[in-house]
């Protein structure tokens, strides 16, 4: 049974009764006004993140112990590739598009209640995430009790929790979207003008006593990406000539070269040891430039991509990926950790990082990680079935629940999963967090958005 594919059009994909509908059936049931390019962007951006994480992870043995490094530390020639493959800006552009469509007036002039919209977004994110949290928290606690190597487990748990960062930002943007959309409709040029200036200003706080302020850039940088999604949903971006996008891509590359070669910003859009300034923890003005570059390239490719997605095969693949994309995103680093455990138990070699032998073995690591992740998706992916189709709670509960879930996800993302009842993990604004407390807040947030429900809410495709 396949339900609605969230977010990319005014209509929804009707449910079909066959377990495996043919590509032609899916194509025929897709509303004519659905923007298939946005669906493809959402699916492709997550798959690129997954493949990137698997590729960059570089375990090595040092004096008999195992540590995890990033191949970009050694293969510095590959760092500029992150300008193309750090695709979180495109993911949040697609999220902005979906939020705009969910909150926009319907054909009959009515609007979806904000409470129903928030409840749907929280359900979409947290239904598979709650299973993920339960499995990891209980599993890590049991593994430590049984004598598993705590250092290796801590590294695996820290890595596995990483996707929660961006799910937290997704909920934050959903929470901000109604107010942001109101500003967008009244002053469409305001936020694209003000937000980059604010990002650049907050960048100056990095490495100072005001460093905590720089973390506001998560809202500003990805809020700007959401704003670009609003512009796409309005049709404004599509009306710009191709020459504008050629100029946009060229300007973005030129400014990135200035910022990274003449300024203090690192080349890599992935955080690496030894960097004085971060481009992603928190995001910097360079991520804004990367967003401009990636958007420009997307708009240049959009006509050809739209034609390609009219074919039943590519469209069916896009639908299939999106139906389980949250589960893939949540479990892909767990899949890598499990694959690493298998390969290391089999005494697989660990050649010098970025050597020819290392790249050859990396194909084996990626293939096994993919197999394990597919197993996770097959076992747990049904949690996404029907996600987002919930009734509306009272508006204050929906807002509070979304905010509480956001805080909980941030806490677990920082703390990791080992020692569930002890504060640990990475420090954020001078604090360390207890994983179990963060998970409890996620549960409370989810419950709040499902409490005191009033009216039935449509799928977030509306």
């Amino acid at each position: 049974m396949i339900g609605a594919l969230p977010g990319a059009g005014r209509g929804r994909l009707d449910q079909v009764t066959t377990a495996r509908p043919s590509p032609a059936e899916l194509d025929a049931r897709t509303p004519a006004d659905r923007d298939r390019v946005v669906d493809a962007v959402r699916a492709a951006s997550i798959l690129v993140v997954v493949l990137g994480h698997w590729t960059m992870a570089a375990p090595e043995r040092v004096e008999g112990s195992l540590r995890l490094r990033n191949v970009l530390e050694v293969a510095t020639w590959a760092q500029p590739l992150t300008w193309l493959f750090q695709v979180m800006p495109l993911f949040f552009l697609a999220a902005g598009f979906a939020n705009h469509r969910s909150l926009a007036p319907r054909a009959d002039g009515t609007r979806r209640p904000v409470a129903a919209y928030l409840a749907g977004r929280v359900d979409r994110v947290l239904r598979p995430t709650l299973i993920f949290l339960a499995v990891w928290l209980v599993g890590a606690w049991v593994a430590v009790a049984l004598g598993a190597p705590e250092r290796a487990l801590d590294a695996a748990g820290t890595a596995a929790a990483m996707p929660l960062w961006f799910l937290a930002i997704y909920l934050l943007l959903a929470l901000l979207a109604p107010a942001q959309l109101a500003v967008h409709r009244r002053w469409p040029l305001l936020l694209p003008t003000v937000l980059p200036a604010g990002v650049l200003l907050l960048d100056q706080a990095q490495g100072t006593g005001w460093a905590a302020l720089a973390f506001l850039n998560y809202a500003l940088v990805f809020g700007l990406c959401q704003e670009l999604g609003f512009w796409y949903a309005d049709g404004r971006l599509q009306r710009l000539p191709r020459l504008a996008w050629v100029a946009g891509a060229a300007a973005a590359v030129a400014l990135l070269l200035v910022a990274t070669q003449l300024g203090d910003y690192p080349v890599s859009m992935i955080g690496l040891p030894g960097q004085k300034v971060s481009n992603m923890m928190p995001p910097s003005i360079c991520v804004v430039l990367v967003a401009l570059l990636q958007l420009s390239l997307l708009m240049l490719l959009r006509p050809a991509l739209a034609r390609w997605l009219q074919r039943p095969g590519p469209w069916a693949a896009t639908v299939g990926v999106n139906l389980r994309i949250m589960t893939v995103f949540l479990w892909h680093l767990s899949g890598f950790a499990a694959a690493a455990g298998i390969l290391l138990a089999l005494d697989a070699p660990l050649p010098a990082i970025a050597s020819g032998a290392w790249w050859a073995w990396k194909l084996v690591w990626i293939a096994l990680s993919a197999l394990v992740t597919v197993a996770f998706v097959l076992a747990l992916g049904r949690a996404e079935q029907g996600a987002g189709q919930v009734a509306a709670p009272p508006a204050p509960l929906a807002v509070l629940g979304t905010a509480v879930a956001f805080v909980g996800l941030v806490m677990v993302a920082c703390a990791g999963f080992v020692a569930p009842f002890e504060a640990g993990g990475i420090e954020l604004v001078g604090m360390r967090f207890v994983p179990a407390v963060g998970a409890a807040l996620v549960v409370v947030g989810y419950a709040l958005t499902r409490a005191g429900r009033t009216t039935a809410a449509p799928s977030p495709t509306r």
Side-chain angles (χ1 to χ4, degrees), residues 75-91:
T76 55
W77 56 267
Q79 291 183 12
L81 296 178
T82 61
W83 298 1
L84 294 176
F85 296 114
Q86 173 51 283
V87 289
M88 281 295 105
L90 288 182
F91 175 80

Side-chain angles (χ1 to χ4, degrees), residues 57-141:
E60 69 173 0
R61 289 190 179 92
V62 179
E63 297 178 353
S65 63
L66 192 70
R67 68 173 179 175
L68 186 65
R69 298 183 65 192
N70 191 314
V71 67
L72 296 176
E73 296 176 54
V74 179
T76 55
W77 56 267
Q79 291 183 12
L81 296 178
T82 61
W83 298 1
L84 294 176
F85 296 114
Q86 173 51 283
V87 289
M88 281 295 105
L90 288 182
F91 175 80
F92 288 118
L93 181 147
F97 178 95
N99 290 340
H100 182 289
R101 288 297 178 94
S102 290
L103 294 166
R106 302 188 182 104
D108 60 4
T110 62
R111 296 179 186 271
R112 189 181 187 201
V114 170
Y117 151 79
L118 287 175
R121 288 294 184 264
V122 170
D123 189 63
R124 178 77 177 100
V125 170
L126 294 191
R127 189 185 292 205
T129 301
L130 288 171
I131 295 174
F132 175 76
L133 292 175
V135 171
W136 257 106
L137 286 171
V138 174
W141 181 75

